[in-house]
Amino acid sequence: MNFMNSSLVFFGAGKSKICAGCTVALETLATLLAEPGDVFLIPAPYYSSFVDDINERAGVLALGVPCDETLSRDAFEQAYERVTGEGKRVRAVLFSSPNNPIGTVYKEEAIRSLLDFAMEHDLDVISDEIYAQTVFDPEAHFVSTMRLVPDAYRHRVHVTSSFAKDFVLSGFRTGMCFSFNPDIIQGFASITYYSSVSSHTQSLLTALLKEPELGEIMELSRKRLGKAYRIFSRGLAEMGIPMMKAQAGIFVMADLSEYMEKQEFSAEQVLWDKIYNELMLNISPGGLFGCERPGWFRACYAFDEDTVEEACRRLQMLKK
Amino acid sequence: MNFMNSSLVFFGAGKSKICAGCTVALETLATLLAEPGDVFLIPAPYYSSFVDDINERAGVLALGVPCDETLSRDAFEQAYERVTGEGKRVRAVLFSSPNNPIGTVYKEEAIRSLLDFAMEHDLDVISDEIYAQTVFDPEAHFVSTMRLVPDAYRHRVHVTSSFAKDFVLSGFRTGMCFSFNPDIIQGFASITYYSSVSSHTQSLLTALLKEPELGEIMELSRKRLGKAYRIFSRGLAEMGIPMMKAQAGIFVMADLSEYMEKQEFSAEQVLWDKIYNELMLNISPGGLFGCERPGWFRACYAFDEDTVEEACRRLQMLKK
């Protein structure tokens, strides 16, 4: 994966495993690292399915840690105190880098702060880098968590990814785990017998990664993402809708609270219903992602220009 | 699947689910039907991996029921008494039809006998029909278990299959479960989220099933299998090696006990080692398949004629 060299460390043989999607990679890590009832801390807002991915089979509990893009330690320390005070064990920190839903590309200092916290408390770190190739903001600089961890702690950090987002191949169900921990790699080899990827699909994806034009294609993809983001954020700005600045991914968080009758999470559902059924736009209420304050919604802008412009026109109808 | 009509009942929408291989289908059925510690009865000799498929994650225990190809009830009743006498619960009967490793195509009476037993004791039946398209003996008539079960009991019978054997696509990791039980189908839909099949592979397999020449190709495949079987069984006969008559599948059970120093299962391993390392043939000792008597070995003859003849030549070297 030459085009990834700028961001990822080199993973040789025996340091990665594939399985039927990133969901499985996260579920497998939860199974291998924790006992049912253990807790993973996750910076909030977080990808809502993280909660199910680690809980449904592995029984691990997700706890959102409200924090900004600096991932400062105070919030994590407080969450850690709370969990251990309840007699539960914190086993790992799980975060998406770049972040879904807020689209942040974490700065090195932010990731180092999280790593310091994890090392201090003897926690593993799962860095889900499924959006690593979608960074469209020229000012953002993505660095894999694996590059920032001190060598002595490298076996405690596990990176997951997939072809679903970077390559827009979500149906291909091909996820990966990269780890320098041989026990984790061996555990994957055993468990993912139940979620193997077809050799037919592996063959196509191998050819894709060897394609000389891939770098240019990915660059084009990022340019288009950036353009769609600019159209959509301009549309929101024209309506006076506050939003979080995104630098990567396919989503933006927009504050639609002024269109809610009450500043309560139940009102998010009412507004969602109106937007879905009247405007026929499908955006997701922030309560799903562990937002602290009601009124945030996650919108996907990864469409062609006409579709994004049409979405902006429809959102204008909220003003009536 | 027109070419399958002669043997399988018609499965409409909502009566089948796919997952990443027949292993997963069996593991999922074990998870859905049983609690850890429950027992599935399996006619022996059986496919050795059945034991792991139902046990590793679902915790279900496999008990081999020594019986011949008539699947007569006595042996099953005895096994049932034994298990319940130990305070355990028998939850299902699992069998491969056609049978692996012995290559038998069960007669209707045999399957009906097994169904009677299951209905009498309120057990589910899992009929693994992964070799349904490999029947090369013109005298054999394969019938899906689903066709023989009375309508009132049809929701208790579940058929599994895969593209791995019939279509020689083991790397494609695409298994299926057919069931008239809506709870089973819904359970599959939930659990197999963790073992999805790539849409890329699904697309190719759909095209394969629609291919007008498929029937002829399968017929050719069966002819070649039959020819390889005849060459191999002639080779064994010339050596005076007893074997079970096969009618389907890709394996034959051969009695190599006369080449063992002792009539013990430990001696199978010694002979296996000799055959593997000196003759460089990989055949499997019967102990793995729950054979009652030591000395049986499972050999795969699904190769081109030259390879099968070479295997016969090498086996002759045992006579020295």
PDB file of all heavy atoms in Angstrom, chain A residues 23-24 27 56-57 171-173 193-196 198-201 204, chain B residues 20 23-24 27 56-57 171-173 193-196 198-201 204:
ATOM      1  N   THR A  23     -16.438  -3.950  11.550  1.00  0.00           N
ATOM      2  CA  THR A  23     -17.287  -4.357  12.678  1.00  0.00           C
ATOM      3  C   THR A  23     -16.727  -5.615  13.337  1.00  0.00           C
ATOM      4  O   THR A  23     -16.626  -5.701  14.562  1.00  0.00           O
ATOM      5  CB  THR A  23     -18.719  -4.640  12.172  1.00  0.00           C
ATOM      6  OG1 THR A  23     -19.319  -3.401  11.820  1.00  0.00           O
ATOM      7  CG2 THR A  23     -19.567  -5.333  13.211  1.00  0.00           C
ATOM      8  N   VAL A  24     -16.380  -6.593  12.517  1.00  0.00           N
ATOM      9  CA  VAL A  24     -15.842  -7.842  13.037  1.00  0.00           C
ATOM     10  C   VAL A  24     -14.478  -7.615  13.678  1.00  0.00           C
ATOM     11  O   VAL A  24     -14.158  -8.208  14.716  1.00  0.00           O
ATOM     12  CB  VAL A  24     -15.715  -8.908  11.925  1.00  0.00           C
ATOM     13  CG1 VAL A  24     -15.253 -10.225  12.505  1.00  0.00           C
ATOM     14  CG2 VAL A  24     -17.036  -9.086  11.200  1.00  0.00           C
ATOM     15  N   GLU A  27     -15.203  -6.166  17.038  1.00  0.00           N
ATOM     16  CA  GLU A  27     -15.813  -7.180  17.897  1.00  0.00           C
ATOM     17  C   GLU A  27     -14.748  -8.193  18.347  1.00  0.00           C
ATOM     18  O   GLU A  27     -14.722  -8.605  19.502  1.00  0.00           O
ATOM     19  CB  GLU A  27     -16.926  -7.907  17.116  1.00  0.00           C
ATOM     20  CG  GLU A  27     -17.758  -8.854  17.959  1.00  0.00           C
ATOM     21  CD  GLU A  27     -17.629 -10.289  17.542  1.00  0.00           C
ATOM     22  OE1 GLU A  27     -17.393 -10.546  16.351  1.00  0.00           O
ATOM     23  OE2 GLU A  27     -17.752 -11.155  18.420  1.00  0.00           O
ATOM     24  N   GLU A  56     -22.380  -6.432  21.611  1.00  0.00           N
ATOM     25  CA  GLU A  56     -23.375  -7.472  21.309  1.00  0.00           C
ATOM     26  C   GLU A  56     -22.869  -8.876  21.557  1.00  0.00           C
ATOM     27  O   GLU A  56     -23.565  -9.696  22.128  1.00  0.00           O
ATOM     28  CB  GLU A  56     -23.885  -7.326  19.873  1.00  0.00           C
ATOM     29  CG  GLU A  56     -24.991  -6.298  19.805  1.00  0.00           C
ATOM     30  CD  GLU A  56     -25.855  -6.415  18.569  1.00  0.00           C
ATOM     31  OE1 GLU A  56     -25.682  -7.374  17.794  1.00  0.00           O
ATOM     32  OE2 GLU A  56     -26.697  -5.536  18.371  1.00  0.00           O
ATOM     33  N   ARG A  57     -21.675  -9.166  21.107  1.00  0.00           N
ATOM     34  CA  ARG A  57     -21.142 -10.516  21.345  1.00  0.00           C
ATOM     35  C   ARG A  57     -20.130 -10.515  22.483  1.00  0.00           C
ATOM     36  O   ARG A  57     -20.108 -11.433  23.280  1.00  0.00           O
ATOM     37  CB  ARG A  57     -20.488 -11.088  20.077  1.00  0.00           C
ATOM     38  CG  ARG A  57     -21.488 -11.417  18.994  1.00  0.00           C
ATOM     39  CD  ARG A  57     -20.912 -12.385  17.972  1.00  0.00           C
ATOM     40  NE  ARG A  57     -21.370 -13.748  18.203  1.00  0.00           N
ATOM     41  CZ  ARG A  57     -21.161 -14.756  17.376  1.00  0.00           C
ATOM     42  NH1 ARG A  57     -20.479 -14.555  16.261  1.00  0.00           N
ATOM     43  NH2 ARG A  57     -21.597 -15.959  17.645  1.00  0.00           N
ATOM     44  N   GLY A 171     -19.894  -2.844   0.654  1.00  0.00           N
ATOM     45  CA  GLY A 171     -20.452  -4.181   0.451  1.00  0.00           C
ATOM     46  C   GLY A 171     -19.397  -5.271   0.387  1.00  0.00           C
ATOM     47  O   GLY A 171     -19.725  -6.455   0.432  1.00  0.00           O
ATOM     48  N   PHE A 172     -18.134  -4.868   0.288  1.00  0.00           N
ATOM     49  CA  PHE A 172     -17.085  -5.876   0.107  1.00  0.00           C
ATOM     50  C   PHE A 172     -16.687  -6.564   1.413  1.00  0.00           C
ATOM     51  O   PHE A 172     -15.954  -7.553   1.399  1.00  0.00           O
ATOM     52  CB  PHE A 172     -15.857  -5.247  -0.563  1.00  0.00           C
ATOM     53  CG  PHE A 172     -16.001  -5.132  -2.054  1.00  0.00           C
ATOM     54  CD1 PHE A 172     -17.163  -4.618  -2.624  1.00  0.00           C
ATOM     55  CD2 PHE A 172     -14.996  -5.548  -2.904  1.00  0.00           C
ATOM     56  CE1 PHE A 172     -17.312  -4.518  -3.998  1.00  0.00           C
ATOM     57  CE2 PHE A 172     -15.133  -5.465  -4.283  1.00  0.00           C
ATOM     58  CZ  PHE A 172     -16.283  -4.940  -4.828  1.00  0.00           C
ATOM     59  N   ARG A 173     -17.191  -6.070   2.530  1.00  0.00           N
ATOM     60  CA  ARG A 173     -17.003  -6.717   3.830  1.00  0.00           C
ATOM     61  C   ARG A 173     -15.577  -7.206   4.059  1.00  0.00           C
ATOM     62  O   ARG A 173     -15.345  -8.404   4.296  1.00  0.00           O
ATOM     63  CB  ARG A 173     -17.989  -7.876   4.008  1.00  0.00           C
ATOM     64  CG  ARG A 173     -19.447  -7.558   3.737  1.00  0.00           C
ATOM     65  CD  ARG A 173     -20.014  -6.413   4.493  1.00  0.00           C
ATOM     66  NE  ARG A 173     -19.848  -6.544   5.932  1.00  0.00           N
ATOM     67  CZ  ARG A 173     -19.957  -5.529   6.770  1.00  0.00           C
ATOM     68  NH1 ARG A 173     -20.202  -4.311   6.328  1.00  0.00           N
ATOM     69  NH2 ARG A 173     -19.800  -5.706   8.061  1.00  0.00           N
ATOM     70  N   TYR A 193     -11.895 -17.300  11.589  1.00  0.00           N
ATOM     71  CA  TYR A 193     -12.297 -18.458  10.791  1.00  0.00           C
ATOM     72  C   TYR A 193     -13.795 -18.376  10.502  1.00  0.00           C
ATOM     73  O   TYR A 193     -14.277 -18.875   9.490  1.00  0.00           O
ATOM     74  CB  TYR A 193     -11.984 -19.724  11.591  1.00  0.00           C
ATOM     75  CG  TYR A 193     -12.268 -21.008  10.881  1.00  0.00           C
ATOM     76  CD1 TYR A 193     -11.620 -21.319   9.695  1.00  0.00           C
ATOM     77  CD2 TYR A 193     -13.184 -21.918  11.394  1.00  0.00           C
ATOM     78  CE1 TYR A 193     -11.887 -22.509   9.044  1.00  0.00           C
ATOM     79  CE2 TYR A 193     -13.452 -23.111  10.750  1.00  0.00           C
ATOM     80  CZ  TYR A 193     -12.804 -23.400   9.574  1.00  0.00           C
ATOM     81  OH  TYR A 193     -13.073 -24.581   8.928  1.00  0.00           O
ATOM     82  N   TYR A 194     -14.523 -17.756  11.411  1.00  0.00           N
ATOM     83  CA  TYR A 194     -15.979 -17.630  11.268  1.00  0.00           C
ATOM     84  C   TYR A 194     -16.389 -16.388  10.488  1.00  0.00           C
ATOM     85  O   TYR A 194     -17.566 -16.109  10.356  1.00  0.00           O
ATOM     86  CB  TYR A 194     -16.639 -17.606  12.653  1.00  0.00           C
ATOM     87  CG  TYR A 194     -16.404 -18.872  13.431  1.00  0.00           C
ATOM     88  CD1 TYR A 194     -15.430 -18.937  14.410  1.00  0.00           C
ATOM     89  CD2 TYR A 194     -17.147 -20.014  13.165  1.00  0.00           C
ATOM     90  CE1 TYR A 194     -15.202 -20.110  15.113  1.00  0.00           C
ATOM     91  CE2 TYR A 194     -16.931 -21.184  13.857  1.00  0.00           C
ATOM     92  CZ  TYR A 194     -15.948 -21.226  14.828  1.00  0.00           C
ATOM     93  OH  TYR A 194     -15.723 -22.386  15.515  1.00  0.00           O
ATOM     94  N   SER A 195     -15.441 -15.620  10.014  1.00  0.00           N
ATOM     95  CA  SER A 195     -15.807 -14.432   9.239  1.00  0.00           C
ATOM     96  C   SER A 195     -14.759 -14.176   8.165  1.00  0.00           C
ATOM     97  O   SER A 195     -14.249 -13.080   8.016  1.00  0.00           O
ATOM     98  CB  SER A 195     -15.954 -13.215  10.150  1.00  0.00           C
ATOM     99  OG  SER A 195     -14.719 -12.862  10.704  1.00  0.00           O
ATOM    100  N   SER A 196     -14.480 -15.235   7.411  1.00  0.00           N
ATOM    101  CA  SER A 196     -13.460 -15.151   6.366  1.00  0.00           C
ATOM    102  C   SER A 196     -13.955 -14.304   5.193  1.00  0.00           C
ATOM    103  O   SER A 196     -15.148 -14.181   4.960  1.00  0.00           O
ATOM    104  CB  SER A 196     -13.130 -16.541   5.840  1.00  0.00           C
ATOM    105  OG  SER A 196     -12.793 -17.406   6.880  1.00  0.00           O
ATOM    106  N   SER A 198     -13.981 -13.924   1.160  1.00  0.00           N
ATOM    107  CA  SER A 198     -13.853 -14.722  -0.065  1.00  0.00           C
ATOM    108  C   SER A 198     -12.535 -14.455  -0.777  1.00  0.00           C
ATOM    109  O   SER A 198     -12.116 -13.309  -0.923  1.00  0.00           O
ATOM    110  CB  SER A 198     -15.027 -14.345  -0.979  1.00  0.00           C
ATOM    111  OG  SER A 198     -14.702 -14.525  -2.323  1.00  0.00           O
ATOM    112  N   SER A 199     -11.894 -15.523  -1.254  1.00  0.00           N
ATOM    113  CA  SER A 199     -10.638 -15.362  -1.995  1.00  0.00           C
ATOM    114  C   SER A 199     -10.869 -14.563  -3.277  1.00  0.00           C
ATOM    115  O   SER A 199      -9.979 -13.867  -3.756  1.00  0.00           O
ATOM    116  CB  SER A 199     -10.051 -16.736  -2.320  1.00  0.00           C
ATOM    117  OG  SER A 199     -11.007 -17.533  -2.984  1.00  0.00           O
ATOM    118  N   HIS A 200     -12.082 -14.664  -3.811  1.00  0.00           N
ATOM    119  CA  HIS A 200     -12.453 -13.918  -5.017  1.00  0.00           C
ATOM    120  C   HIS A 200     -12.380 -12.407  -4.756  1.00  0.00           C
ATOM    121  O   HIS A 200     -11.807 -11.651  -5.548  1.00  0.00           O
ATOM    122  CB  HIS A 200     -13.886 -14.362  -5.376  1.00  0.00           C
ATOM    123  CG  HIS A 200     -14.513 -13.620  -6.497  1.00  0.00           C
ATOM    124  ND1 HIS A 200     -15.639 -12.861  -6.322  1.00  0.00           N
ATOM    125  CD2 HIS A 200     -14.195 -13.526  -7.797  1.00  0.00           C
ATOM    126  CE1 HIS A 200     -15.992 -12.334  -7.481  1.00  0.00           C
ATOM    127  NE2 HIS A 200     -15.135 -12.725  -8.388  1.00  0.00           N
ATOM    128  N   THR A 201     -12.914 -11.977  -3.624  1.00  0.00           N
ATOM    129  CA  THR A 201     -12.864 -10.565  -3.252  1.00  0.00           C
ATOM    130  C   THR A 201     -11.437 -10.162  -2.867  1.00  0.00           C
ATOM    131  O   THR A 201     -10.967  -9.085  -3.238  1.00  0.00           O
ATOM    132  CB  THR A 201     -13.839 -10.294  -2.091  1.00  0.00           C
ATOM    133  OG1 THR A 201     -15.165 -10.534  -2.566  1.00  0.00           O
ATOM    134  CG2 THR A 201     -13.727  -8.881  -1.575  1.00  0.00           C
ATOM    135  N   LEU A 204      -9.468  -9.439  -6.000  1.00  0.00           N
ATOM    136  CA  LEU A 204      -9.772  -8.140  -6.612  1.00  0.00           C
ATOM    137  C   LEU A 204      -9.157  -6.989  -5.811  1.00  0.00           C
ATOM    138  O   LEU A 204      -8.585  -6.058  -6.378  1.00  0.00           O
ATOM    139  CB  LEU A 204     -11.283  -7.952  -6.725  1.00  0.00           C
ATOM    140  CG  LEU A 204     -11.718  -6.642  -7.387  1.00  0.00           C
ATOM    141  CD1 LEU A 204     -12.833  -6.903  -8.401  1.00  0.00           C
ATOM    142  CD2 LEU A 204     -12.184  -5.618  -6.385  1.00  0.00           C
TER     143      LEU A 204
ATOM    144  N   ALA B  20     -20.619 -16.545   5.841  1.00  0.00           N
ATOM    145  CA  ALA B  20     -19.271 -16.798   5.333  1.00  0.00           C
ATOM    146  C   ALA B  20     -18.843 -18.261   5.482  1.00  0.00           C
ATOM    147  O   ALA B  20     -17.862 -18.569   6.158  1.00  0.00           O
ATOM    148  CB  ALA B  20     -18.269 -15.857   5.996  1.00  0.00           C
ATOM    149  N   THR B  23     -19.392 -23.720   7.758  1.00  0.00           N
ATOM    150  CA  THR B  23     -18.955 -23.739   9.162  1.00  0.00           C
ATOM    151  C   THR B  23     -19.755 -22.731   9.980  1.00  0.00           C
ATOM    152  O   THR B  23     -20.236 -23.043  11.071  1.00  0.00           O
ATOM    153  CB  THR B  23     -17.451 -23.381   9.235  1.00  0.00           C
ATOM    154  OG1 THR B  23     -16.706 -24.475   8.714  1.00  0.00           O
ATOM    155  CG2 THR B  23     -17.008 -23.097  10.654  1.00  0.00           C
ATOM    156  N   VAL B  24     -19.888 -21.539   9.456  1.00  0.00           N
ATOM    157  CA  VAL B  24     -20.626 -20.483  10.158  1.00  0.00           C
ATOM    158  C   VAL B  24     -22.105 -20.835  10.243  1.00  0.00           C
ATOM    159  O   VAL B  24     -22.756 -20.591  11.264  1.00  0.00           O
ATOM    160  CB  VAL B  24     -20.455 -19.122   9.457  1.00  0.00           C
ATOM    161  CG1 VAL B  24     -21.149 -18.031  10.252  1.00  0.00           C
ATOM    162  CG2 VAL B  24     -18.999 -18.784   9.262  1.00  0.00           C
ATOM    163  N   GLU B  27     -22.365 -23.327  13.021  1.00  0.00           N
ATOM    164  CA  GLU B  27     -22.105 -22.662  14.296  1.00  0.00           C
ATOM    165  C   GLU B  27     -23.305 -21.802  14.689  1.00  0.00           C
ATOM    166  O   GLU B  27     -23.705 -21.776  15.852  1.00  0.00           O
ATOM    167  CB  GLU B  27     -20.847 -21.790  14.166  1.00  0.00           C
ATOM    168  CG  GLU B  27     -20.363 -21.191  15.459  1.00  0.00           C
ATOM    169  CD  GLU B  27     -20.428 -19.681  15.489  1.00  0.00           C
ATOM    170  OE1 GLU B  27     -20.318 -19.051  14.432  1.00  0.00           O
ATOM    171  OE2 GLU B  27     -20.610 -19.139  16.585  1.00  0.00           O
ATOM    172  N   GLU B  56     -16.958 -24.903  19.385  1.00  0.00           N
ATOM    173  CA  GLU B  56     -15.974 -23.868  19.746  1.00  0.00           C
ATOM    174  C   GLU B  56     -16.611 -22.592  20.269  1.00  0.00           C
ATOM    175  O   GLU B  56     -16.162 -22.024  21.250  1.00  0.00           O
ATOM    176  CB  GLU B  56     -15.063 -23.569  18.567  1.00  0.00           C
ATOM    177  CG  GLU B  56     -13.933 -24.575  18.492  1.00  0.00           C
ATOM    178  CD  GLU B  56     -12.735 -24.074  17.721  1.00  0.00           C
ATOM    179  OE1 GLU B  56     -12.709 -22.916  17.305  1.00  0.00           O
ATOM    180  OE2 GLU B  56     -11.826 -24.887  17.523  1.00  0.00           O
ATOM    181  N   ARG B  57     -17.624 -22.107  19.597  1.00  0.00           N
ATOM    182  CA  ARG B  57     -18.261 -20.875  20.080  1.00  0.00           C
ATOM    183  C   ARG B  57     -19.580 -21.177  20.786  1.00  0.00           C
ATOM    184  O   ARG B  57     -19.907 -20.553  21.775  1.00  0.00           O
ATOM    185  CB  ARG B  57     -18.528 -19.903  18.927  1.00  0.00           C
ATOM    186  CG  ARG B  57     -17.259 -19.290  18.380  1.00  0.00           C
ATOM    187  CD  ARG B  57     -17.556 -18.033  17.588  1.00  0.00           C
ATOM    188  NE  ARG B  57     -17.266 -16.844  18.366  1.00  0.00           N
ATOM    189  CZ  ARG B  57     -17.259 -15.605  17.868  1.00  0.00           C
ATOM    190  NH1 ARG B  57     -17.547 -15.394  16.608  1.00  0.00           N
ATOM    191  NH2 ARG B  57     -16.990 -14.585  18.646  1.00  0.00           N
ATOM    192  N   GLY B 171     -12.721 -21.476  -1.311  1.00  0.00           N
ATOM    193  CA  GLY B 171     -12.207 -20.168  -0.905  1.00  0.00           C
ATOM    194  C   GLY B 171     -13.238 -19.063  -0.931  1.00  0.00           C
ATOM    195  O   GLY B 171     -12.992 -17.977  -0.429  1.00  0.00           O
ATOM    196  N   PHE B 172     -14.380 -19.348  -1.535  1.00  0.00           N
ATOM    197  CA  PHE B 172     -15.377 -18.286  -1.700  1.00  0.00           C
ATOM    198  C   PHE B 172     -16.178 -18.041  -0.424  1.00  0.00           C
ATOM    199  O   PHE B 172     -16.930 -17.079  -0.345  1.00  0.00           O
ATOM    200  CB  PHE B 172     -16.299 -18.601  -2.884  1.00  0.00           C
ATOM    201  CG  PHE B 172     -15.690 -18.243  -4.209  1.00  0.00           C
ATOM    202  CD1 PHE B 172     -14.398 -18.603  -4.517  1.00  0.00           C
ATOM    203  CD2 PHE B 172     -16.412 -17.519  -5.142  1.00  0.00           C
ATOM    204  CE1 PHE B 172     -13.823 -18.267  -5.734  1.00  0.00           C
ATOM    205  CE2 PHE B 172     -15.850 -17.172  -6.363  1.00  0.00           C
ATOM    206  CZ  PHE B 172     -14.556 -17.552  -6.662  1.00  0.00           C
ATOM    207  N   ARG B 173     -16.020 -18.880   0.571  1.00  0.00           N
ATOM    208  CA  ARG B 173     -16.617 -18.674   1.893  1.00  0.00           C
ATOM    209  C   ARG B 173     -18.071 -18.214   1.819  1.00  0.00           C
ATOM    210  O   ARG B 173     -18.428 -17.157   2.327  1.00  0.00           O
ATOM    211  CB  ARG B 173     -15.801 -17.673   2.705  1.00  0.00           C
ATOM    212  CG  ARG B 173     -14.318 -17.969   2.830  1.00  0.00           C
ATOM    213  CD  ARG B 173     -13.973 -19.308   3.338  1.00  0.00           C
ATOM    214  NE  ARG B 173     -14.593 -19.646   4.601  1.00  0.00           N
ATOM    215  CZ  ARG B 173     -14.691 -20.881   5.050  1.00  0.00           C
ATOM    216  NH1 ARG B 173     -14.243 -21.907   4.354  1.00  0.00           N
ATOM    217  NH2 ARG B 173     -15.276 -21.132   6.200  1.00  0.00           N
ATOM    218  N   TYR B 193     -24.431 -10.864  10.652  1.00  0.00           N
ATOM    219  CA  TYR B 193     -23.853  -9.532  10.430  1.00  0.00           C
ATOM    220  C   TYR B 193     -22.334  -9.607  10.608  1.00  0.00           C
ATOM    221  O   TYR B 193     -21.587  -8.843   9.998  1.00  0.00           O
ATOM    222  CB  TYR B 193     -24.459  -8.573  11.447  1.00  0.00           C
ATOM    223  CG  TYR B 193     -24.022  -7.144  11.308  1.00  0.00           C
ATOM    224  CD1 TYR B 193     -24.302  -6.422  10.148  1.00  0.00           C
ATOM    225  CD2 TYR B 193     -23.331  -6.504  12.335  1.00  0.00           C
ATOM    226  CE1 TYR B 193     -23.905  -5.108  10.026  1.00  0.00           C
ATOM    227  CE2 TYR B 193     -22.933  -5.189  12.214  1.00  0.00           C
ATOM    228  CZ  TYR B 193     -23.217  -4.489  11.059  1.00  0.00           C
ATOM    229  OH  TYR B 193     -22.811  -3.187  10.940  1.00  0.00           O
ATOM    230  N   TYR B 194     -21.888 -10.526  11.444  1.00  0.00           N
ATOM    231  CA  TYR B 194     -20.464 -10.668  11.721  1.00  0.00           C
ATOM    232  C   TYR B 194     -19.757 -11.610  10.745  1.00  0.00           C
ATOM    233  O   TYR B 194     -18.588 -11.912  10.911  1.00  0.00           O
ATOM    234  CB  TYR B 194     -20.249 -11.161  13.158  1.00  0.00           C
ATOM    235  CG  TYR B 194     -20.773 -10.190  14.186  1.00  0.00           C
ATOM    236  CD1 TYR B 194     -22.004 -10.378  14.792  1.00  0.00           C
ATOM    237  CD2 TYR B 194     -20.032  -9.061  14.515  1.00  0.00           C
ATOM    238  CE1 TYR B 194     -22.480  -9.466  15.719  1.00  0.00           C
ATOM    239  CE2 TYR B 194     -20.498  -8.151  15.446  1.00  0.00           C
ATOM    240  CZ  TYR B 194     -21.730  -8.356  16.049  1.00  0.00           C
ATOM    241  OH  TYR B 194     -22.204  -7.458  16.952  1.00  0.00           O
ATOM    242  N   SER B 195     -20.499 -12.139   9.792  1.00  0.00           N
ATOM    243  CA  SER B 195     -19.845 -13.035   8.826  1.00  0.00           C
ATOM    244  C   SER B 195     -20.496 -12.870   7.465  1.00  0.00           C
ATOM    245  O   SER B 195     -20.880 -13.835   6.823  1.00  0.00           O
ATOM    246  CB  SER B 195     -19.922 -14.485   9.301  1.00  0.00           C
ATOM    247  OG  SER B 195     -21.264 -14.914   9.312  1.00  0.00           O
ATOM    248  N   SER B 196     -20.597 -11.614   7.048  1.00  0.00           N
ATOM    249  CA  SER B 196     -21.227 -11.302   5.763  1.00  0.00           C
ATOM    250  C   SER B 196     -20.354 -11.756   4.596  1.00  0.00           C
ATOM    251  O   SER B 196     -19.135 -11.860   4.720  1.00  0.00           O
ATOM    252  CB  SER B 196     -21.440  -9.800   5.630  1.00  0.00           C
ATOM    253  OG  SER B 196     -22.128  -9.296   6.741  1.00  0.00           O
ATOM    254  N   SER B 198     -19.053 -10.833   0.870  1.00  0.00           N
ATOM    255  CA  SER B 198     -18.838  -9.691  -0.014  1.00  0.00           C
ATOM    256  C   SER B 198     -19.865  -9.656  -1.142  1.00  0.00           C
ATOM    257  O   SER B 198     -20.160 -10.672  -1.774  1.00  0.00           O
ATOM    258  CB  SER B 198     -17.432  -9.807  -0.596  1.00  0.00           C
ATOM    259  OG  SER B 198     -17.339  -9.146  -1.826  1.00  0.00           O
ATOM    260  N   SER B 199     -20.391  -8.454  -1.428  1.00  0.00           N
ATOM    261  CA  SER B 199     -21.340  -8.298  -2.531  1.00  0.00           C
ATOM    262  C   SER B 199     -20.683  -8.656  -3.861  1.00  0.00           C
ATOM    263  O   SER B 199     -21.341  -9.110  -4.799  1.00  0.00           O
ATOM    264  CB  SER B 199     -21.875  -6.869  -2.569  1.00  0.00           C
ATOM    265  OG  SER B 199     -20.805  -5.957  -2.596  1.00  0.00           O
ATOM    266  N   HIS B 200     -19.385  -8.470  -3.925  1.00  0.00           N
ATOM    267  CA  HIS B 200     -18.615  -8.809  -5.129  1.00  0.00           C
ATOM    268  C   HIS B 200     -18.688 -10.318  -5.407  1.00  0.00           C
ATOM    269  O   HIS B 200     -18.943 -10.755  -6.533  1.00  0.00           O
ATOM    270  CB  HIS B 200     -17.165  -8.354  -4.886  1.00  0.00           C
ATOM    271  CG  HIS B 200     -16.181  -8.729  -5.938  1.00  0.00           C
ATOM    272  ND1 HIS B 200     -15.132  -9.569  -5.690  1.00  0.00           N
ATOM    273  CD2 HIS B 200     -16.097  -8.374  -7.221  1.00  0.00           C
ATOM    274  CE1 HIS B 200     -14.426  -9.707  -6.796  1.00  0.00           C
ATOM    275  NE2 HIS B 200     -14.987  -9.001  -7.738  1.00  0.00           N
ATOM    276  N   THR B 201     -18.520 -11.107  -4.367  1.00  0.00           N
ATOM    277  CA  THR B 201     -18.608 -12.563  -4.508  1.00  0.00           C
ATOM    278  C   THR B 201     -20.057 -12.990  -4.731  1.00  0.00           C
ATOM    279  O   THR B 201     -20.332 -13.872  -5.563  1.00  0.00           O
ATOM    280  CB  THR B 201     -18.020 -13.239  -3.252  1.00  0.00           C
ATOM    281  OG1 THR B 201     -16.624 -12.932  -3.192  1.00  0.00           O
ATOM    282  CG2 THR B 201     -18.207 -14.739  -3.284  1.00  0.00           C
ATOM    283  N   LEU B 204     -20.933 -12.585  -8.366  1.00  0.00           N
ATOM    284  CA  LEU B 204     -20.383 -13.627  -9.241  1.00  0.00           C
ATOM    285  C   LEU B 204     -21.151 -14.937  -9.081  1.00  0.00           C
ATOM    286  O   LEU B 204     -21.471 -15.607 -10.062  1.00  0.00           O
ATOM    287  CB  LEU B 204     -18.901 -13.837  -8.935  1.00  0.00           C
ATOM    288  CG  LEU B 204     -18.216 -14.892  -9.809  1.00  0.00           C
ATOM    289  CD1 LEU B 204     -16.865 -14.379 -10.283  1.00  0.00           C
ATOM    290  CD2 LEU B 204     -18.027 -16.210  -9.089  1.00  0.00           C
TER     291      LEU B 204
END
